[in-house]
């Protein structure tokens, strides 16, 4: 089992540093010094054939000359010498070795051959190997720092990483905040010990409550899944090598097979792993799991000294599916008793700059039972803030803008085991990771489609035929259409155009024709034209009983192509905004659109086209030819020109225009004009 075989690595009774150096600039010196300065309780043996003493410790020419038993060897010698050193370790009875040295599989075929030789020798002696090409280990609870820099603060998170720098950054941040780690492990090339061994080990480690794992690719996915079957602690995963070039970079860095990112996403979903996208999230999420209790639900109250910070927190909470619920009426009066008179008792609850730590404490005590989490935002230098937070309580603490007071109070909070976050967004996002999806509400996102507010008193809607005639007169390509005031005319035009045809209500009273059943596509016979016409007439009479039915627009069915939306709206505050996106549900549900304020350059128009998520469809797919995006840009130019030259247009929507490889055609439009 990993626990038994890795105790020699993480809990050795004695350590030898092979390649120890008298030169302070060499790693062999720094690592030896850090082992000494970390307060390691066991015997330390520097191995250097040319020195008698280093840091006051007697040196030995070879590990085989050490008179006593050696559990762990830390190897810092040139790559070519490593196989011989590992063989000597085996003859000495060493149980584990950390190979700091690089120049193995990550360096190419020759290095890979050398690494394989090391593995073969180690296995013949039953030595467990960490590395090579790694930054070592740091176990504050033992204590043992066979790494750099020297950090000794004990904490709750085990940081396991293929990258020494990523792990060192994590450990540095935990140490800076006075939270520390339970362990730091740099895996390097993973020639033997890998994430499977380490996750299994720290899952049983009593000093570890959360595991933070950075990988560029799993070494053995089936074995890793078996470990996850028995995982009892939160695991935060940061997986790099997600894009095509990132995958190539990962494979050249440590010869890792980065793999299909979608499969890693599925793995995280199946086993409930928390996935981070950045190093900052990696840190924040691990910190949250280690020091915050799991909320029972998603109701959160923000108590703040800063209205702005409270709003930012609310925005992020909405994005994460947390419920910023109003303060219950039954406790409003109770809360008013302890807050400034000018404070508005709502959520977020802004205590203003007059707030004291005691006010925060009183509000928390009176509201705690009504919320799953209280978000405390100290947005000013609030003295004694550390005295009113609760270790292990249902609180998440944010401190910002407090200068020296903030730094002092944060340090006191961390000393009490209360994590503090530097911004509302980071705190809320980290907190949200503690809640499973089924306990969250709907995630709200800012709309990408601008709200187009229109004063109906001073505007008029053009009918469909009027809108198409207008666009046609402006030089934009519209599909052929005919106005049919009665069903006989509709049948006549349908016969001339050829079936199938489309029928659409031609009304200046209805902005969204589909809402009243005013659009029917693929009408295939004269009889069907009559049925559809009569159905639309009856429905129109039900919706607008005081107006005669205006008839329909008949148009041929356009050939299949790519549907897009193009449009513009004149906003009183910001000016005219131009909009482009894929049509249909892509704009209505996914809001896959791009926008720009007029005036725009041609380069900006191309940016608009290419920045929507669905832009790849224009490159051609499944045998379909690509779309010349110049056509789209010309269409957007036409709309921009209309808005710049005709000040009466308030809103212009073309939805859809249908794109073909060398042209596009407008099949529906909505225009609102000033009266």
């Amino acid at each position: 089992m990993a626990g038994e075989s890795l105790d020699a690595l993480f809990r050795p009774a004695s350590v030898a540093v092979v390649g120890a150096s008298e030169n302070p600039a060499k790693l062999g010196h720094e690592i030896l010094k850090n082992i000494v300065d970390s307060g390691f309780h066991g015997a330390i043996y520097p191995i250097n054939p040319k020195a008698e003493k280093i840091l006051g410790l007697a040196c030995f020419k070879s590990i085989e000359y050490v008179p006593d038993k050696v559990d762990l060897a830390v190897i810092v010698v040139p790559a070519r010498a490593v196989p011989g050193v590992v063989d000597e370790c085996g003859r000495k009875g060493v149980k584990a070795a950390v190979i700091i040295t690089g120049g193995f599989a990550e360096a190419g075929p020759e290095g890979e051959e050398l690494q394989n030789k090391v593995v073969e020798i180690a296995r013949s002696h039953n030595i467990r190997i960490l590395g090579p090409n790694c930054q070592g280990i740091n176990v504050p609870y033992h204590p043992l720092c066979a790494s750099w820099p020297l950090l000794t603060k004990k904490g709750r998170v085990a940081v396991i990483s293929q990258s020494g720098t990523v792990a060192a950054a994590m450990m540095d941040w935990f140490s800076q905040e006075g939270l520390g780690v339970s362990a730091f492990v740099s895996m390097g090339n993973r020639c033997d010990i890998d994430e499977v061994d380490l996750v299994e080990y720290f899952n049983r480690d009593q000093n570890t409550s959360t595991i933070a794992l950075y990988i560029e690719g799993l070494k053995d996915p089936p074995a890793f899944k078996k470990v996850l079957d028995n995982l009892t602690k939160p695991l935060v995963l940061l997986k790099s090598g997600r894009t095509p070039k990132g995958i190539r970079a990962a494979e050249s860095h440590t010869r890792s097979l980065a793999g299909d990112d979608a499969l890693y996403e599925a793995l995280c979903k199946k086993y409930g792993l928390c996935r981070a996208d950045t190093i900052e999230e990696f840190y924040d999420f691990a910190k949250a799991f280690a020091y915050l209790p799991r909320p029972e639900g998603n109701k959160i109250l923000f108590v703040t000294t800063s209205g702005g910070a409270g709003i930012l927190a609310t925005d992020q909470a909405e994005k994460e599916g947390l419920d910023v619920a109003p303060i219950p009426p039954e406790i409003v009066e109770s809360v008013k008793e302890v807050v400034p008179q000018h404070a508005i008792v709502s959520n977020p609850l802004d205590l203003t700059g007059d707030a004291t730590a005691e006010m925060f404490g009183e509000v928390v005590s009176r509201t705690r039972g009504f919320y799953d989490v209280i978000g405390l935002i100290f947005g000013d230098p609030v003295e004694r803030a550390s005295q009113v937070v609760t270790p292990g309580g249902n609180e998440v603490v944010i401190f910002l803008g407090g200068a020296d007071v903030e730094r002092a109070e944060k340090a006191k909070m961390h000393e009490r085991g209360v994590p503090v976050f530097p911004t509302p967004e980071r705190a809320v996002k980290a907190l949200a990771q503690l809640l499973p999806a089924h306990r969250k509400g709907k995630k709200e996102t800012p709309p990408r489609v601008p709200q187009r507010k229109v004063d109906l008193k001073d505007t008029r809607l053009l009918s469909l035929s009027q809108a198409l005639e207008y666009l046609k007169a402006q030089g934009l390509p519209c599909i052929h259409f005919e106005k049919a005031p009665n069903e006989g005319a509709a049948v006549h035009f349908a016969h001339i155009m050829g079936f199938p045809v489309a029928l659409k209500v031609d009304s200046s009273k209805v902005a969204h024709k589909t809402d009243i059943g005013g659009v029917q596509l693929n009408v295939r016979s004269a009889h069907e034209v009559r049925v559809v016409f009569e159905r639309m007439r009856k429905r129109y009479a039900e919706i607008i009983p005081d107006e005669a039915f205006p008839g329909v627009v008949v148009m041929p069915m356009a050939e299949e192509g790519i549907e897009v939306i193009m449009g513009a709206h004149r906003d009183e505050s910001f000016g005219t905004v131009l909009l482009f996106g894929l049509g249909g549900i892509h704009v209505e549900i996914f809001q896959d659109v791009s926008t720009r304020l007029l005036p725009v350059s041609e380069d900006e128009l191309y940016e608009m086209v290419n920045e929507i998520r669905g832009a790849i469809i224009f490159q051609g797919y499944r045998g379909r030819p690509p779309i010349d995006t110049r056509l789209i840009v010309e269409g957007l130019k036409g709309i921009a020109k209309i808005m710049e030259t005709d000040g009466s247009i308030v809103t212009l929507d073309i939805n859809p225009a249908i794109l073909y490889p060398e042209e596009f055609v407008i099949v529906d439009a909505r225009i609102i004009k000033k009266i």
Side-chain angles (χ1 to χ4, degrees):
M1 294 176 66
E4 297 170 355
S5 62
L6 297 188
D7 276 344
L9 178 65
F10 296 116
R11 304 178 62 83
S14 55
V15 179
V17 179
V18 184
S21 174
E22 297 175 285
N23 184 349
K26 297 286 186 70
L27 266 180
H29 181 92
E30 185 175 2
I31 290 174
L32 177 65
K33 188 174 188 301
N34 286 348
I35 293 173
V36 173
D37 292 347
S38 65
F40 180 64
H41 301 314
I44 306 171
Y45 303 109
I47 309 300
N48 185 319
K50 298 179 181 179
E52 291 187 5
K53 281 191 175 184
I54 302 176
L55 298 176
L57 298 170
C59 287
F60 298 88
K61 292 183 178 181
S62 161
I63 197 167
E64 292 185 279
Y65 283 77
V66 176
D68 302 310
K69 180 182 176 183
V70 178
D71 287 337
L72 173 65
V74 181
I75 301 173
V76 200
V77 299
R80 285 287 170 196
V82 171
V85 169
V86 173
D87 193 39
E88 290 175 358
C89 288
R91 293 197 295 270
K92 178 62 182 173
V94 172
K95 297 176 182 177
V98 177
I99 302 176
I100 304 294
T101 309
F104 290 89
E106 84 284 357
E110 190 176 333
E112 186 170 10
E113 185 178 342
L114 190 63
Q115 181 170 301
N116 291 338
K117 186 175 181 181
V118 169
V119 172
E120 183 181 347
I121 294 169
R123 284 177 179 167
S124 71
H125 294 293
N126 292 318
I127 301 174
R128 297 305 308 268
I129 300 288
L130 181 69
N133 183 36
C134 76
Q135 199 167 322
I137 62 170
N138 191 337
V139 191
Y141 284 96
H142 192 51
L144 169 64
C145 180
S147 180
W148 68 95
L150 172 63
L151 299 168
T152 59
K153 183 69 178 177
K154 299 172 184 176
R156 303 177 187 176
V157 179
V159 181
I160 304 166
S161 176
Q162 271 188 267
S163 164
T165 298
V166 171
M170 287 280 284
M171 187 166 182
D172 188 30
W173 292 338
F174 276 117
S175 295
Q176 281 180 9
E177 294 205 319
L179 296 172
V181 297
S182 62
F184 157 104
V185 189
S186 168
M187 295 185 289
N189 291 6
R190 303 177 299 178
C191 76
D192 173 26
I193 296 170
D194 60 19
E195 60 277 359
V196 171
D197 302 294
L198 296 169
V199 169
E200 183 181 4
Y201 182 87
F202 288 108
N203 190 42
R204 293 198 304 272
D205 177 45
Q206 63 181 3
N207 297 314
T208 297
S209 67
T210 298
I211 300 168
L213 174 64
Y214 167 81
I215 54 170
E216 290 153 15
L218 288 171
K219 182 180 172 184
D220 186 349
F224 190 69
K225 287 170 64 179
K226 288 182 181 179
V227 169
L228 295 182
D229 283 332
N230 299 306
L231 186 67
T232 59
K233 296 177 180 177
L235 191 154
V236 180
L237 177 70
L238 177 59
K239 160 72 171 67
S240 65
R242 304 178 69 171
T243 64
K245 289 184 178 178
I247 289 170
R248 289 197 293 273
E251 290 174 351
S252 66
H253 179 216
T254 52
R255 308 293 290 174
S256 297
L257 294 176
D260 188 334
D261 192 68
L263 297 179
Y264 281 88
E265 188 68 23
L267 181 80
C268 291
K269 290 287 198 307
K270 177 170 179 61
Y271 290 98
L273 310 185
C274 173
R275 190 168 191 187
D277 288 330
T278 65
I279 299 181
E280 185 177 87
E281 287 185 357
F282 193 40
Y283 177 70
D284 288 345
F285 296 173
K287 179 168 134 181
F289 275 105
Y291 293 94
L292 291 177
R294 296 282 187 107
E296 292 185 6
N298 73 331
K299 285 178 64 177
I300 186 167
L301 167 68
F302 291 110
V303 185
T304 179
T305 63
S306 162
I311 296 167
L312 290 170
T314 302
D315 279 342
Q316 191 64 44
E318 290 273 280
K319 293 177 187 177
E320 300 296 335
L322 303 184
D323 181 13
V324 187
I327 296 176
E330 60 265 35
I331 60 167
V332 167
E333 292 304 319
S334 175
V335 171
K336 283 182 177 179
E337 293 173 1
V338 295
V339 301
Q341 287 187 348
H342 50 278
I344 300 174
V345 181
S346 60
N347 192 4
L349 174 55
D350 184 3
L351 301 180
T352 74
D354 296 334
T356 64
E358 290 70 27
M359 278 186 198
F360 274 93
E362 285 291 343
V363 170
V364 170
S365 68
R366 296 171 190 227
T367 58
R368 188 191 298 278
F370 295 86
Y371 290 90
D372 299 300
V373 183
I374 309 290
L376 302 177
I377 306 175
F378 300 104
D380 291 279
V382 180
E383 301 274 3
R384 302 180 303 282
S386 58
Q387 297 176 22
V388 296
V389 296
T390 311
N394 63 332
E395 303 162 5
V396 61
V397 179
I398 302 104
F399 216 139
L400 70 165
D404 290 340
V405 171
E406 174 188 336
R407 285 182 277 278
E409 293 298 324
K410 271 176 65 174
K412 293 174 184 175
M413 291 182 193
H414 285 147
E415 197 63 37
R416 299 180 65 196
V418 175
V420 182
F421 294 86
T423 69
E425 298 89 345
R426 288 175 63 177
V428 173
K429 197 166 189 177
L431 170 70
Q433 307 311 307
L434 308 184
L435 272 173
H438 69 273
R439 290 190 181 176
K440 295 178 183 178
K442 179 185 176 184
K443 293 184 178 182
E444 300 289 349
T445 56
R448 291 173 56 88
V449 178
Q451 292 185 9
R452 288 166 282 188
K453 297 178 180 178
V454 177
D455 187 345
L456 298 178
K457 294 180 181 178
D458 300 321
T459 61
R460 66 185 180 92
L461 173 71
L462 301 190
S463 68
L464 174 59
S465 61
Q466 291 171 332
L468 292 175
E469 289 285 6
Y470 178 89
L471 294 174
K472 189 176 178 181
Q474 299 297 319
L476 291 174
C478 296
I479 196 166
H480 174 66
F481 68 93
E482 296 287 352
K483 294 170 57 178
N486 54 59
E487 61 186 64
V491 170
H492 173 70
F493 290 133
H495 275 298
I496 293 174
M497 294 175 187
F499 293 100
V501 295
L503 270 61
K504 301 179 182 182
V505 168
D506 190 30
S507 173
S508 60
K509 302 295 184 182
V510 179
H512 300 286
K513 297 181 290 295
T514 54
D515 291 350
I516 65 162
V519 175
Q520 181 65 56
L521 307 180
N522 289 304
V523 180
R524 298 184 176 278
S525 67
H527 171 71
E528 194 175 346
V529 168
R530 295 180 186 278
V531 170
V532 170
F533 189 98
E534 181 60 18
R535 184 171 67 237
M536 288 183 178
R537 187 190 64 75
K538 286 184 177 179
R539 179 63 175 155
Y540 193 87
E542 292 172 1
I543 302 297
I544 310 175
D546 298 331
E547 181 170 313
F549 183 55
V552 299
V553 167
V554 183
M555 58 181 63
M557 287 298 299
E559 291 291 327
E560 184 181 357
I562 298 174
E563 294 188 8
V564 297
I565 178 173
M566 304 180 190
H569 176 72
R570 207 178 301 278
D571 184 89
E572 291 184 2
S573 301
F574 288 89
T576 302
V577 60
L578 192 64
L579 177 145
F580 171 74
L582 294 181
I585 63 169
H586 294 278
V587 64
E588 296 168 6
I589 298 176
F590 302 130
Q591 300 207 340
D592 187 13
V593 299
S594 58
T595 56
R596 290 293 188 280
L597 292 176
L598 296 186
V600 290
S601 66
E602 186 171 285
D603 286 344
E604 288 179 286
L605 293 176
Y606 276 104
E607 288 174 3
M608 283 185 70
V609 173
N610 292 323
E611 73 186 29
I612 65 170
R613 294 188 296 274
I616 192 171
I617 200 172
F618 303 139
Q619 298 174 19
Y621 66 101
R622 293 192 174 180
R624 297 193 180 194
I627 298 296
D628 185 354
T629 54
R630 178 182 53 83
L631 297 171
I632 305 173
V633 168
E634 290 302 317
L636 292 171
K637 278 184 181 179
I639 294 171
K641 183 179 178 181
I642 290 172
M643 299 303 291
E644 288 169 343
T645 57
D646 187 345
S648 70
I649 301 288
V650 178
T651 297
L652 192 166
D653 279 339
I654 296 170
N655 186 20
I658 301 180
L659 300 179
Y660 304 105
E662 297 178 354
E663 63 180 347
F664 76 91
V665 62
I666 298 168
V667 299
D668 211 328
R670 180 174 69 114
I671 295 176
I672 299 175
K673 281 192 168 190
K674 295 178 183 177
I675 296 175

